[in-house]
């Protein structure tokens, strides 16, 4: 009888620990969401960069390279500067972090700062975050835990037309 009671208590305890870990993971994702909203609102490329997973950072680097190449070939540098919201020297030295400062990136994610978090689901080292934009569009982000932190998997907008 004691053995059965011990097993029941063990199973209950493991379930409770799992739920509390999941809740803690959800809290961490919510905190990361708030940090992302602030970083996008202030166009803080360094903070946004730190919240991206390594694949998204690589995608931003590739997009930056495409912009840098297109800027170098452009005959209308002023128009290019206006379109991207960056200076000529920034475009000439474009990197992934600078791409996160561009109008291209913010054009895609400009509604994130005013969006409302709808739900968070954590499963091990991955998470799904659902949110509602101010205009009612329902969107989502996937996250992955890297280096002990939740990082957003963010598709980069098309770099050049």
């Amino acid at each position: 009888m004691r053995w059965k009671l011990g097993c029941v208590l063990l199973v209950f305890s493991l379930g409770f620990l799992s739920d509390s870990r999941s809740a803690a993971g959800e809290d961490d994702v919510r905190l990361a969401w708030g940090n992302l909203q602030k970083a996008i609102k202030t166009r803080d490329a360094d903070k946004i960069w730190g919240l991206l997973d390594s694949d998204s950072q690589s995608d931003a680097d590739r997009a930056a390279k495409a912009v840098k190449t297109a800027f170098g070939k452009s005959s209308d540098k002023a128009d290019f500067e206006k379109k991207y919201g960056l200076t000529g020297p920034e475009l000439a030295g474009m990197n992934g972090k600078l791409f996160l400062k561009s109008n291209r990136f913010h054009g895609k994610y400009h509604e994130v700062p005013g969006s409302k978090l709808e739900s968070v689901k954590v499963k091990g080292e991955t998470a799904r975050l659902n949110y509602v934009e101010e205009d009612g569009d329902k969107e989502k982000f996937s996250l992955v835990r890297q280096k002990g932190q939740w990082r957003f998997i963010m598709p980069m907008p098309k770099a050049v037309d």
Side-chain angles (χ1 to χ4, degrees):
M1 180 71 169
R2 285 186 192 179
W3 182 81
K4 287 183 182 178
L5 180 60
C7 287
V8 168
L9 288 174
L10 178 63
V11 169
F12 177 76
S13 297
L14 290 175
F16 179 75
L17 286 174
S18 174
D19 287 347
S20 64
R21 283 186 196 140
S22 177
E26 288 178 16
D27 289 344
D28 292 342
V29 170
R30 290 173 193 277
L31 179 62
W33 167 249
N35 290 337
L36 180 67
Q37 287 182 298
K38 288 176 197 166
I40 290 175
K41 183 176 185 175
T42 60
R43 288 187 176 230
D44 189 330
D46 288 327
K47 286 185 182 174
I48 297 168
W49 184 263
L51 292 165
L52 297 182
D53 78 310
S54 57
D55 288 340
S56 296
Q57 289 174 346
S58 294
D59 291 345
D61 283 334
R62 278 189 289 281
K65 185 177 179 181
V67 170
K68 182 178 179 178
T69 300
F71 178 71
K73 294 177 181 177
S74 174
S75 60
D76 190 350
K77 305 282 192 219
D79 183 56
F80 217 92
E81 290 176 18
K82 184 178 177 183
K83 187 184 333 182
Y84 285 86
L86 299 171
T87 66
E90 286 175 321
L91 289 162
M94 177 69 88
N95 60 34
K97 282 186 186 179
L98 277 172
F99 185 76
L100 301 177
K101 220 176 122 178
S102 74
N103 288 343
R104 285 291 171 134
F105 180 82
H106 287 277
K108 180 170 177 79
Y109 293 111
H110 71 279
E111 292 184 87
V112 166
S115 296
K116 301 291 182 207
L117 183 62
E118 191 172 66
S119 66
V120 173
K121 301 275 188 215
V122 174
K123 187 174 182 180
E125 299 297 302
T126 61
R128 173 67 53 112
L129 180 147
N130 294 295
Y131 64 98
V132 180
E133 295 176 338
E134 290 176 311
D135 63 1
D137 292 339
K138 292 186 178 207
E139 298 292 339
K140 60 188 167 205
F141 278 123
S142 294
L143 294 90
V144 63
R145 192 185 305 267
Q146 290 180 337
K147 298 180 184 176
Q149 301 292 319
W150 286 108
R151 310 289 179 170
F152 289 86
I153 300 169
M154 293 182 76
M156 291 299 124
K158 186 175 178 184
V160 292
D161 295 325

